[in-house]
Amino acid sequence: TDLHVACLGAHGGAEGSVLVAGTGSCGYTWLQGQSRIFGAHGFPLGDKGSGAWLGLEALRAALLARDGLGPDTSLDGTISEFLGVSGLEVIEKMAGAGSSRYARLAPLVIAAAAEGDAVAAGIVTDGAGYLAALAEKMLAINPGRICLLGGLADHLKPWLAADLVARLAQPLHQPDYGAFHFARQNWSRLA
């Protein structure tokens, strides 16, 4: 799978774990010839802490704020401006949208959180907490190395506990290295 080759790439073909925070989110461990997946429930049912989840939660919060049923947040105006809509047109614009469209809202959430928007900060904190819980679950089985991967990896590190960030290793290679390594290791079986 793409998770397996990403893990092989991150650890130079060796065993280890990856925590993925991109459009989706999950944890993956390759240990003693066995793989184990944590999370990966898919959007919108899961993938907490992912770009898609951040975008969905931000839109929910913005709509609640607009109705006066939730705390004020800059996300309401920011999302409407980003989507080029006004008022409740945001609902029509996002109706039936997939994970990648929601994930495009994630940078807005992270920026608003960094600027002190309490609602956005709460969303990012909640998502980072979930990713930290995934990481702790993987670390409990002693995978050796664990790497944080994905488009949101660097953006979410400041929201993770310092002791967890200290335990995260830098990926050794990109996923394409993992794909090459896997193909080379399994060439006789594939030929």
Side-chain angles (χ1 to χ4, degrees):
T1 66
D2 58 346
L3 288 172
H4 187 68
V5 298
C7 189
L8 289 174
H11 303 293
E15 295 180 335
S17 289
V18 291
L19 179 61
V20 180
T23 299
S25 70
C26 68
Y28 179 85
T29 297
W30 175 249
L31 188 61
Q32 298 174 353
Q34 299 292 316
S35 63
R36 187 160 173 201
I37 297 174
F38 301 85
H41 303 139
F43 179 80
L45 301 176
D47 287 0
K48 192 169 181 177
S50 71
W53 181 87
L54 289 170
L56 178 61
E57 291 300 305
L59 186 54
R60 286 179 174 158
L63 291 171
L64 287 172
R66 179 174 296 158
D67 288 341
L69 298 170
D72 286 337
T73 175
S74 63
L75 293 170
D76 185 19
T78 305
I79 291 172
S80 292
E81 183 180 327
F82 178 79
L83 295 175
V85 297
S86 62
L88 295 178
E89 291 173 350
V90 70
I91 296 168
E92 185 177 323
K93 185 80 169 187
M94 293 302 288
S99 59
S100 62
R101 281 190 51 205
Y102 278 97
R104 284 184 251 167
L105 303 177
L108 306 176
V109 184
I110 292 169
E115 292 169 6
D117 184 290
V119 172
I123 293 168
V124 176
T125 299
D126 189 26
Y130 174 76
L131 294 172
L134 283 180
E136 292 300 330
K137 198 80 159 146
M138 290 186 292
L139 287 166
I141 60 173
N142 196 22
R145 298 175 83 244
I146 183 169
C147 298
L148 179 60
L149 306 178
L152 293 177
D154 289 336
H155 301 289
L156 292 176
K157 273 186 184 177
W159 298 89
L160 297 172
D163 61 327
L164 174 58
V165 173
R167 295 180 78 183
L168 297 173
Q170 283 296 109
L172 298 176
H173 302 284
Q174 295 296 314
D176 56 349
Y177 175 91
F180 176 75
H181 177 80
F182 179 81
R184 191 176 65 214
Q185 294 293 89
N186 293 283
W187 176 253
S188 62
R189 232 182 40 199
L190 299 172

